[in-house]
Amino acid sequence: MTSTSAPLRLNPDRLLPPDPGLRAIARGLYESVRDLPILSPHGHVDAQLLLADEPFGDPASLLVAPDHYVTRLLHASGVPLETLGVGRGSLTGAEAREAWRQVCTHWHVFRGTPVRYWLDSELSQIFGITERPSAKNADDLYDRISACLEADDFRPRALFARFGVEVLATTDDPCDDLRAHEQLAADHGFGGRVIPTFRPDRYLDPSAGGWAEAVGALGAVAGTDIGDFAGYVAALEERRRYFIEHGAVSADHGHVDARTDPLEVSDAARIYRAALAGTASDAEAVAFRRHMLLEMARMSCDDGLVMTIHPGALRGHHPTTAARFGPDTGHDIPVRTEYTRALRPLLDRFGEHPNLHLVLFTLDETVWSRELAPLAGFYPSVYVGAPWWFLDAPDAIRRFRDAVTETAGFSRTSGFIDDTRAFCSIPARHDMSRRVDCGYLAQLVAEHRMDLDEAYETATELVVTNPRRVFKL
Amino acid sequence: MTSTSAPLRLNPDRLLPPDPGLRAIARGLYESVRDLPILSPHGHVDAQLLLADEPFGDPASLLVAPDHYVTRLLHASGVPLETLGVGRGSLTGAEAREAWRQVCTHWHVFRGTPVRYWLDSELSQIFGITERPSAKNADDLYDRISACLEADDFRPRALFARFGVEVLATTDDPCDDLRAHEQLAADHGFGGRVIPTFRPDRYLDPSAGGWAEAVGALGAVAGTDIGDFAGYVAALEERRRYFIEHGAVSADHGHVDARTDPLEVSDAARIYRAALAGTASDAEAVAFRRHMLLEMARMSCDDGLVMTIHPGALRGHHPTTAARFGPDTGHDIPVRTEYTRALRPLLDRFGEHPNLHLVLFTLDETVWSRELAPLAGFYPSVYVGAPWWFLDAPDAIRRFRDAVTETAGFSRTSGFIDDTRAFCSIPARHDMSRRVDCGYLAQLVAEHRMDLDEAYETATELVVTNPRRVFKL
Amino acid sequence: MTSTSAPLRLNPDRLLPPDPGLRAIARGLYESVRDLPILSPHGHVDAQLLLADEPFGDPASLLVAPDHYVTRLLHASGVPLETLGVGRGSLTGAEAREAWRQVCTHWHVFRGTPVRYWLDSELSQIFGITERPSAKNADDLYDRISACLEADDFRPRALFARFGVEVLATTDDPCDDLRAHEQLAADHGFGGRVIPTFRPDRYLDPSAGGWAEAVGALGAVAGTDIGDFAGYVAALEERRRYFIEHGAVSADHGHVDARTDPLEVSDAARIYRAALAGTASDAEAVAFRRHMLLEMARMSCDDGLVMTIHPGALRGHHPTTAARFGPDTGHDIPVRTEYTRALRPLLDRFGEHPNLHLVLFTLDETVWSRELAPLAGFYPSVYVGAPWWFLDAPDAIRRFRDAVTETAGFSRTSGFIDDTRAFCSIPARHDMSRRVDCGYLAQLVAEHRMDLDEAYETATELVVTNPRRVFKL
């Protein structure tokens, strides 16, 4: 390192309100929850990673290539996705080094974003880096992180323990055999709880590419004849049972809209047959998918899986990139989303069912005050999901509490969800949430809208009580 | 009371900005308006309550059962509405006590909500309670409030005077004979001004249950033959005249959308006949309702009744609850709402009419900066209604001023509306509004966007000048 | 002046955060950018004004009549537009004085609005006024401003230099011969850079009044046979070339929606012929206009003109006013606007084209976090336009940074756009933006989300680097 590198320092009061009076209150609240365990009921880490417990390969494969939060803004800044290693499997040393260099060279484009905040935290707290990344120190930082990654205490399980993760939910295909989860649970050398999540999107939407084949595979793993609609439903039920047996607590749904209009069973069965034969119309496929979301709620009432819904992403907005680099490569773009009418059929039937926990996430923050808080403030089954994707950042989290609390309070919110494929960012993400929520509570205390003892109690509830209750952990 | 109850204290600076400099400015502004009279131009208190002036029955019937702001969040928390006395008429002592116990036991779910703030204020300022409600002290508080309610100075008229209410508008059915208002006005023992509001929704919407019967009843009270459209219009005009004669200053409209597309008179007449005969299509019923909203604006130009519109609530979202407990039981849920195009026919015709005052409320806060402030910033007839239902809370009121002021200033806003059936919450609601608005003004002063003398003048305008001017009081 | 006039004073810390710690940081940042030159890449000043360099006529013609920001709120307050001189050409002395009197008499209606802030700045900094306008001092202020306007150093070019304008873009009709720009550029007595902007809306939308005649005129100035679609496209290309030759850097597009659905060329050609013949249907006209927006993007890839899009204004909301006073008279009202799906065809084709700079403005702030920041955070061609029309004010600018930064950072935003016809408000508008952005940066520094050196660098980037880069200045 040359002497001219700017320092990278994590201020202990970061993200707390600047006003001295507020900061003092917020600091106390934060200290009371800082070291509580991490509950991560929704995310995208691969269970195999923890099962294998191999050393992470290199800084770019760990921190850059798989994380569309990082790569999208670099792409916008003119760095080709291939240079960042997106969608390429393993990288050569030179490729990984170059990808990392691009991150460091473009460090300024992340100013003010949560990616910058998370990377700062990871570099400082996990890897002990004390200089701000730049073109100049990129290679040096690469070498130092690489050296860390070779050490045993930087292997996945060691980090898992160091991060204080109590529960980590993965997101899994219904056909997955969950072998990794099973072996991890049986492994007495691993103390963590890693649970699968049932994510059936592609099996519910006949317009998804390869749907008929996917349903065929589902029937095969479920041991069910999926030749008719009843068998298809039974296959889904069977796989949910299998997931529950392997520790799953929730099923996750991410279609473009949240509609749950019912079909007559005979119509559903007819469309199902047509879809298998490849003759269902676009409108029929959509109607079927909406009916199946309702059916998933029915199953959740029966088997108790928490139902999470996060509609409103237009996937693969840039077809060229999707074709070349695959899904989840940074160009899923939000669209306006409706919940009040969309969920009415579901809530009419199941909204007061004691087994149903329905957690509603959004990429469209306009629904927080208008739809989600009002729904969660009446229906005992409904919870407002924490700020998520594009909104999991300090200012957005404040807007979330500001928009939701006055109608739904704190008890009707889900607790933080990191939703990440970036394993090393998990503690930074949860820490961010704790800091910002404590800042919000401090504001309520300073405005005499809440007493201090209540704020302390609420801070803990948001971090551990709510996630445990809402996700049945 | 045991010694372990947490205290309930109202800090004199509550809701004012925590920054010491801002707080000092805000405090001065607030002190200048704190004791100004309450003008309540829109609400749901029953005039009969003040006419009869009977003691309130019990704490639950007064504070819980009729107030869907309170019961909805308890319902979400698993308390059945019947336990809270919703839709049940009078409660036995044991039932009322149990409903109150539920409120106290679930006190924490209201943290951060305005309901908590209002109840704190009511318990402290009206009933002299000094302990925070809890399961432990629920019975004791019940007894103490009950004892208050037996005293003469807790009767409705005594509280009305103590609250400093100068004008209280009720919301009334066009067929109402307004006897209570008439007798109150004639009662020299009562000094208050209690005025009716014309609320014709169910008479304008042929798709509403029992529309034809309602229109028949309207014709009967108006002494008008409603067999044809002209007679129906005349009946509405006659009832407006009757309301005005009894002190009404406004007509209130709350359909699901705000559209005002005109029909040819011949089409309106044809649909009217079909609707009476029960043969109008759904589309015709909607078209008729929209035409009639335009017609209401025409009448307002003629007779001078202020027109308030608050679209965007999907009523009775949970049909099971609606069937069992009736309307206004906590499950009206907002939907996205449009005003710019919807009101264009109305504003094209009447937007510059000197008699028209059109106050636009919303449950969809996205329209504040995008539609309502721009409309009120051009049309002399249009005013932005104060934050209302789901948005009548500190953070939302701040967002309102933040979103509206820069385009429409302060003079184009209506002044606060309590919109409540909870009689005892009226002073707390108006006080909340005064505090938050003074905080906003203090911010403008501290940022040198407004001079201090102007802030003092504006604070008073928001509390008394604007409501008097906008609602022609 | 009587001794009772309130003072008009510009506090040096205006618009900076009131918290003392934040203010100190913000003040430093602001001082570092306060005196940087003004880059104004989008606005509505007339180049002829600077070419002629005649003295401004009178205070009302300069500050009131042409500025719908000023006149709309006066109209809402009951002042007829004709009294304000709107749409009337030159005013008599008495008329101008009366228009100015109305502004002063209604000074209070501007409280809390940016118009008030801009006028305060102009009166104080340009004209040396030290009293707050009122009915009482209106005539005196009129006389003093009038006296200034007679002096040489208040002529347009002198003010241009005094304001520190480095680049000023005008907005021009594609048929404009740009003689004024040409002569200004050739005038060695004028050191400024005044560049045209290509604004082809009315030539792209067959439903606009007089479209066929306009297209005919376009063909004439382009020297192109516009009898068929290819000739029409060639005429547009030719005029863009002409504009570029005269210094243009951007083309500006303001249709009611942002859709870019492609037509087959044969369909475009067929609709074009029908539109010329006056037989195109409404739907065909809309389809053609959307196709042509896509075609404009194609041309921008070819010729490098920056493409700015600002959809979502429903023009001429009040037809009576439009008929009497013309366009741009204060009653264009925003409507909800969609970008994600609307721009997908354009971005699918050209989103990664190195020549394309696409700046997306909005009047619907809900799209900032939901659509614009996600788009600009992935596509290298997309930039989020600065807060604009109805949103170019302190609170809105804060909401903009709050909503956009966490997803798109600072580098993907355009820099400030004054978008004004009010020449004298240009420095006040840019200064407002600098102050508010520095306040936002100070907040990030105080919350330890950004280091101070980065904040200084970013402050400068927002003022000069981003506009130069984004607008290719």
Side-chain angles (χ1 to χ4, degrees):
Chain A
M1 290 309 322
T2 78
S3 61
T4 57
S5 274
L8 188 168
R9 280 185 294 242
L10 301 188
N11 189 290
D13 286 332
R14 61 195 182 280
L15 298 186
L16 304 183
D19 174 86
L22 280 180
R23 180 163 284 185
I25 301 170
R27 194 187 286 141
L29 292 168
Y30 170 65
E31 280 167 7
S32 77
V33 297
R34 184 185 51 210
D35 300 324
L36 291 177
I38 288 177
L39 298 165
S40 175
H42 181 75
H44 294 274
V45 170
D46 187 350
Q48 182 62 37
L49 181 86
L50 289 158
L51 181 63
D53 200 32
E54 297 291 335
F56 289 106
D58 63 75
S61 301
L62 176 63
L63 301 171
V64 183
D67 190 354
H68 57 72
Y69 279 78
V70 174
T71 59
R72 70 192 316 276
L73 202 45
L74 294 171
H75 178 263
S77 306
V79 184
L81 290 182
E82 56 265 40
T83 307
L84 298 167
V86 175
R88 299 186 46 188
S90 69
L91 305 174
T92 67
E95 289 168 341
R97 187 176 288 272
E98 176 56 22
W100 177 254
R101 251 189 224 128
Q102 291 291 345
V103 174
C104 295
T105 303
H106 291 86
W107 197 246
H108 59 283
V109 305
F110 294 109
R111 283 178 194 162
T113 72
V115 170
R116 162 65 182 274
Y117 183 88
W118 299 324
L119 287 174
D120 272 359
S121 299
E122 297 170 51
L123 294 176
S124 170
Q125 297 192 311
I126 304 177
F127 301 104
I129 302 299
T130 56
E131 300 92 37
R132 188 195 301 162
S134 67
K136 217 166 36 182
N137 64 13
D139 281 341
D140 179 61
L141 297 184
Y142 184 89
D143 292 335
R144 288 162 63 189
I145 298 169
S146 297
C148 286
L149 294 179
E150 288 170 17
D152 279 352
D153 51 349
F154 284 83
R155 292 201 184 202
R157 292 188 185 190
L159 290 176
F160 189 95
R162 180 170 159 193
F163 293 169
V165 180
E166 181 177 303
V167 180
L168 181 75
T170 62
T171 296
D172 306 275
D173 190 287
C175 287
D176 195 297
D177 61 13
L178 306 180
R179 204 62 53 85
H181 294 82
E182 196 169 284
Q183 293 179 6
L184 267 176
D187 187 335
H188 297 302
F190 179 64
R193 183 174 169 200
V194 178
I195 58 179
T197 299
F198 188 78
R199 174 74 179 266
D201 287 359
R202 58 192 290 249
Y203 300 92
L204 306 183
D205 180 359
S207 73
W211 177 80
E213 294 69 28
V215 168
L218 184 78
V221 296
T224 303
D225 175 5
I226 51 82
D228 63 9
F229 181 62
Y232 162 76
V233 168
L236 287 163
E237 288 173 331
E238 165 55 24
R239 293 311 293 167
R240 291 172 66 104
R241 199 196 53 68
Y242 185 85
F243 269 62
I244 292 170
E245 211 173 82
H246 286 76
V249 297
S250 75
D252 182 48
H253 305 276
H255 304 291
V256 74
D257 67 59
R259 284 178 62 174
T260 55
D261 314 63
L263 291 173
E264 294 293 324
V265 173
S266 57
D267 287 329
R270 180 181 52 73
I271 296 174
Y272 178 76
R273 284 190 305 271
L276 275 190
T279 62
S281 70
D282 289 354
E284 285 174 330
V286 167
F288 185 82
R289 186 249 292 162
R290 291 173 177 166
H291 174 79
M292 286 310 299
L293 195 58
L294 178 64
E295 189 68 6
M296 288 290 118
R298 194 267 304 157
M299 292 184 198
S300 275
C301 293
D302 289 348
D303 64 22
L305 279 184
V306 174
M307 186 175 193
T308 60
I309 305 186
H310 49 87
L314 199 158
R315 307 275 173 179
H317 191 270
H318 193 235
T320 312
T321 299
R324 186 154 166 213
F325 298 97
D328 303 320
T329 47
H331 48 105
D332 298 344
I333 307 287
V335 291
R336 201 159 58 213
T337 310
E338 206 278 339
Y339 295 76
T340 300
R341 290 186 169 104
L343 292 170
R344 198 181 188 196
L346 187 162
L347 292 169
D348 182 16
R349 296 182 183 204
F350 310 120
E352 292 186 328
H353 195 290
N355 264 9
L356 184 66
H357 284 198
L358 177 63
V359 188
L360 301 176
F361 295 94
T362 193
L363 292 83
D364 175 357
E365 60 178 292
T366 68
V367 304
W368 281 336
S369 76
R370 188 181 60 219
E371 305 181 31
L372 299 194
L375 287 169
F378 175 76
Y379 288 100
S381 56
V382 176
Y383 299 90
V384 189
W388 181 79
W389 203 7
F390 293 114
L391 299 169
D392 46 359
D395 291 338
I397 294 174
R398 281 177 202 137
R399 295 198 300 275
F400 168 79
R401 290 289 171 208
D402 204 78
V404 164
T405 308
E406 295 183 326
T407 290
F410 293 98
S411 67
R412 313 300 306 153
T413 63
S414 73
F416 185 69
I417 300 294
D418 57 66
D419 185 40
T420 191
R421 351 192 146 249
F423 182 59
C424 288
S425 74
I426 290 175
R429 287 169 184 256
H430 285 263
D431 186 62
M432 165 182 281
S433 163
R434 294 174 190 192
R435 290 173 178 274
V436 178
D437 279 344
C438 288
Y440 181 73
L441 290 168
Q443 180 87 19
L444 294 188
V445 170
E447 293 181 358
H448 307 291
R449 295 158 73 184
M450 183 185 266
D451 290 329
L452 190 59
D453 67 305
E454 299 178 292
Y456 273 89
E457 197 173 290
T458 302
T460 295
E461 284 172 3
L462 294 178
V463 172
V464 290
T465 317
N466 283 16
R468 283 187 184 132
R469 177 169 52 88
V470 174
F471 282 93
K472 306 181 178 179
L473 293 170
Chain B
M1 291 310 318
T2 78
S3 61
T4 56
S5 275
L8 189 168
R9 282 186 291 243
L10 301 188
N11 190 291
D13 285 334
R14 61 194 182 281
L15 297 186
L16 303 184
D19 174 87
L22 281 180
R23 181 164 284 184
I25 301 170
R27 194 186 286 142
L29 293 168
Y30 170 66
E31 279 166 8
S32 78
V33 297
R34 184 184 52 210
D35 300 324
L36 291 176
I38 288 177
L39 299 165
S40 176
H42 181 74
H44 295 274
V45 170
D46 186 351
Q48 183 61 37
L49 181 87
L50 289 157
L51 181 62
D53 200 32
E54 297 291 334
F56 288 107
D58 63 75
S61 301
L62 176 62
L63 302 170
V64 184
D67 189 354
H68 58 72
Y69 279 77
V70 175
T71 59
R72 69 192 315 278
L73 203 45
L74 294 172
H75 177 263
S77 306
V79 185
L81 290 181
E82 56 266 40
T83 307
L84 297 167
V86 174
R88 297 185 47 188
S90 69
L91 305 174
T92 67
E95 289 168 340
R97 188 176 287 272
E98 176 57 21
W100 176 253
R101 254 190 221 127
Q102 291 292 345
V103 174
C104 296
T105 304
H106 291 85
W107 197 247
H108 59 283
V109 306
F110 294 109
R111 284 179 193 161
T113 73
V115 171
R116 161 66 182 273
Y117 183 88
W118 298 326
L119 287 175
D120 272 358
S121 299
E122 296 170 53
L123 293 177
S124 171
Q125 297 191 312
I126 303 178
F127 300 104
I129 303 297
T130 56
E131 300 93 38
R132 188 196 300 162
S134 67
K136 215 164 39 185
N137 66 14
D139 281 342
D140 179 62
L141 297 184
Y142 184 90
D143 292 335
R144 288 163 63 189
I145 298 168
S146 295
C148 286
L149 294 179
E150 287 169 17
D152 279 353
D153 51 350
F154 285 83
R155 293 201 182 203
R157 292 189 184 188
L159 290 176
F160 189 94
R162 181 170 158 194
F163 294 168
V165 180
E166 181 177 304
V167 180
L168 181 76
T170 61
T171 297
D172 306 276
D173 190 287
C175 285
D176 196 297
D177 62 13
L178 306 179
R179 202 63 54 84
H181 294 83
E182 197 170 285
Q183 293 178 8
L184 267 177
D187 187 336
H188 296 301
F190 179 66
R193 182 175 170 201
V194 178
I195 58 179
T197 299
F198 189 76
R199 175 75 179 268
D201 287 358
R202 58 192 291 250
Y203 300 91
L204 306 183
D205 180 359
S207 73
W211 176 80
E213 295 69 29
V215 168
L218 186 80
V221 297
T224 304
D225 175 4
I226 52 81
D228 64 9
F229 181 64
Y232 162 75
V233 168
L236 287 163
E237 288 172 333
E238 165 55 24
R239 294 309 294 169
R240 291 171 67 103
R241 196 197 54 69
Y242 185 84
F243 268 62
I244 292 168
E245 210 174 85
H246 286 76
V249 298
S250 76
D252 182 49
H253 304 275
H255 302 291
V256 74
D257 66 59
R259 285 177 61 174
T260 55
D261 315 63
L263 292 173
E264 294 294 323
V265 173
S266 57
D267 287 328
R270 180 181 51 73
I271 295 174
Y272 177 76
R273 284 189 306 270
L276 274 190
T279 62
S281 70
D282 289 354
E284 285 174 330
V286 167
F288 185 82
R289 187 248 292 161
R290 291 172 178 166
H291 174 80
M292 285 310 298
L293 194 59
L294 178 65
E295 189 68 7
M296 288 292 117
R298 194 268 303 156
M299 292 183 197
S300 276
C301 293
D302 289 349
D303 64 23
L305 279 184
V306 174
M307 187 175 194
T308 60
I309 304 187
H310 49 87
L314 197 157
R315 306 275 173 179
H317 190 270
H318 194 235
T320 312
T321 299
R324 187 155 164 211
F325 297 98
D328 302 321
T329 48
H331 48 107
D332 297 345
I333 308 287
V335 291
R336 201 159 56 215
T337 308
E338 206 278 341
Y339 295 76
T340 301
R341 290 187 170 104
L343 292 170
R344 198 181 188 196
L346 188 163
L347 292 169
D348 181 17
R349 296 181 182 203
F350 310 120
E352 291 185 328
H353 195 289
N355 265 8
L356 185 65
H357 284 199
L358 178 62
V359 188
L360 301 176
F361 295 94
T362 193
L363 291 82
D364 175 357
E365 59 178 292
T366 69
V367 304
W368 281 336
S369 76
R370 188 181 61 219
E371 306 181 31
L372 300 193
L375 288 167
F378 175 76
Y379 287 102
S381 57
V382 176
Y383 299 89
V384 189
W388 182 78
W389 203 6
F390 293 114
L391 300 169
D392 46 357
D395 291 338
I397 295 173
R398 281 178 203 138
R399 295 198 300 275
F400 168 79
R401 290 289 170 209
D402 204 78
V404 165
T405 307
E406 295 182 327
T407 290
F410 294 98
S411 67
R412 311 300 306 152
T413 63
S414 72
F416 185 69
I417 301 294
D418 58 65
D419 185 39
T420 192
R421 358 195 138 246
F423 181 58
C424 288
S425 75
I426 290 175
R429 287 168 183 258
H430 285 264
D431 186 62
M432 165 182 281
S433 162
R434 294 174 189 191
R435 290 172 179 274
V436 178
D437 278 344
C438 288
Y440 180 73
L441 290 167
Q443 179 87 20
L444 294 188
V445 171
E447 292 181 0
H448 307 291
R449 295 158 73 183
M450 182 185 266
D451 289 329
L452 190 59
D453 67 305
E454 299 178 292
Y456 272 89
E457 196 173 290
T458 303
T460 294
E461 284 172 4
L462 293 179
V463 172
V464 291
T465 318
N466 284 16
R468 282 186 185 134
R469 176 169 52 87
V470 175
F471 282 93
K472 306 181 176 178
L473 292 171
Chain C
M1 291 309 318
T2 77
S3 61
T4 58
S5 274
L8 189 168
R9 281 184 294 243
L10 300 188
N11 188 291
D13 286 333
R14 61 196 182 280
L15 296 187
L16 303 184
D19 174 87
L22 281 180
R23 182 163 284 184
I25 301 170
R27 194 187 286 140
L29 292 167
Y30 170 66
E31 279 166 9
S32 77
V33 297
R34 185 185 52 209
D35 300 325
L36 291 177
I38 288 177
L39 300 165
S40 175
H42 180 76
H44 295 274
V45 169
D46 187 351
Q48 182 62 35
L49 181 87
L50 289 157
L51 182 63
D53 200 33
E54 297 292 334
F56 289 107
D58 62 76
S61 301
L62 175 61
L63 302 171
V64 183
D67 189 353
H68 57 72
Y69 279 77
V70 175
T71 58
R72 67 192 315 277
L73 203 45
L74 294 171
H75 177 263
S77 306
V79 184
L81 290 180
E82 56 266 42
T83 307
L84 298 167
V86 175
R88 299 186 45 188
S90 69
L91 305 175
T92 66
E95 289 168 340
R97 186 176 287 273
E98 176 56 21
W100 176 252
R101 251 189 224 130
Q102 291 292 345
V103 174
C104 296
T105 303
H106 291 85
W107 198 246
H108 59 283
V109 306
F110 294 109
R111 283 179 194 163
T113 73
V115 171
R116 162 66 182 273
Y117 183 89
W118 298 325
L119 287 174
D120 271 359
S121 299
E122 296 170 53
L123 293 177
S124 171
Q125 297 192 313
I126 303 177
F127 300 104
I129 303 298
T130 56
E131 300 94 36
R132 188 195 300 162
S134 66
K136 217 165 36 183
N137 64 15
D139 280 342
D140 179 63
L141 297 185
Y142 185 89
D143 293 336
R144 288 162 62 190
I145 299 169
S146 296
C148 286
L149 295 178
E150 286 169 19
D152 278 353
D153 51 350
F154 285 83
R155 292 201 185 204
R157 293 187 183 191
L159 291 176
F160 189 94
R162 178 170 158 194
F163 294 167
V165 181
E166 181 177 305
V167 180
L168 180 76
T170 62
T171 297
D172 306 275
D173 191 287
C175 285
D176 196 297
D177 62 12
L178 305 180
R179 203 64 53 86
H181 294 82
E182 196 169 285
Q183 292 179 8
L184 268 177
D187 188 334
H188 297 299
F190 179 65
R193 183 175 170 201
V194 178
I195 58 179
T197 299
F198 189 77
R199 173 76 179 264
D201 287 358
R202 60 191 289 249
Y203 300 91
L204 306 184
D205 180 1
S207 73
W211 177 79
E213 295 68 29
V215 168
L218 185 79
V221 294
T224 304
D225 175 4
I226 52 81
D228 63 10
F229 182 63
Y232 162 76
V233 168
L236 288 164
E237 288 172 333
E238 165 55 24
R239 293 311 293 168
R240 291 172 65 104
R241 199 197 52 68
Y242 185 84
F243 269 61
I244 292 169
E245 211 174 84
H246 286 76
V249 298
S250 75
D252 182 48
H253 305 276
H255 304 291
V256 74
D257 66 60
R259 286 177 61 174
T260 56
D261 314 63
L263 291 173
E264 294 294 324
V265 173
S266 57
D267 287 328
R270 179 181 51 73
I271 296 174
Y272 177 77
R273 286 190 305 271
L276 274 189
T279 62
S281 70
D282 289 354
E284 285 175 329
V286 168
F288 185 83
R289 185 248 293 161
R290 291 173 177 165
H291 174 79
M292 286 309 298
L293 194 58
L294 178 66
E295 188 69 6
M296 288 291 117
R298 195 267 306 157
M299 292 183 197
S300 276
C301 292
D302 290 349
D303 63 24
L305 279 184
V306 174
M307 186 175 194
T308 60
I309 305 186
H310 49 86
L314 197 157
R315 307 273 173 180
H317 190 270
H318 193 235
T320 311
T321 300
R324 187 155 165 209
F325 297 98
D328 303 320
T329 47
H331 47 105
D332 297 344
I333 308 286
V335 290
R336 201 160 57 216
T337 310
E338 206 278 340
Y339 295 75
T340 301
R341 290 186 169 103
L343 292 169
R344 199 180 187 198
L346 188 162
L347 292 169
D348 181 17
R349 296 181 183 205
F350 309 120
E352 292 185 328
H353 195 290
N355 263 9
L356 184 65
H357 284 198
L358 177 62
V359 188
L360 301 177
F361 295 94
T362 193
L363 292 81
D364 176 356
E365 59 178 293
T366 69
V367 304
W368 281 336
S369 77
R370 188 181 59 221
E371 306 181 31
L372 300 194
L375 287 167
F378 175 76
Y379 287 101
S381 56
V382 176
Y383 298 89
V384 189
W388 181 77
W389 203 7
F390 293 114
L391 299 169
D392 46 358
D395 291 337
I397 294 173
R398 281 177 202 138
R399 295 198 301 275
F400 168 79
R401 290 288 172 210
D402 203 78
V404 165
T405 308
E406 295 183 326
T407 290
F410 294 98
S411 67
R412 311 301 306 153
T413 63
S414 73
F416 186 69
I417 301 295
D418 58 65
D419 184 40
T420 192
R421 358 196 136 244
F423 182 59
C424 287
S425 74
I426 290 175
R429 288 169 183 258
H430 285 263
D431 185 63
M432 165 182 282
S433 163
R434 294 173 190 193
R435 289 172 178 274
V436 178
D437 278 344
C438 288
Y440 180 73
L441 290 167
Q443 179 87 21
L444 294 187
V445 170
E447 294 182 358
H448 307 290
R449 296 158 71 183
M450 182 185 265
D451 290 330
L452 191 59
D453 67 306
E454 299 178 292
Y456 272 90
E457 197 173 290
T458 303
T460 295
E461 284 172 3
L462 294 179
V463 172
V464 290
T465 317
N466 283 15
R468 282 186 185 133
R469 177 169 51 89
V470 174
F471 282 92
K472 306 181 177 179
L473 293 170

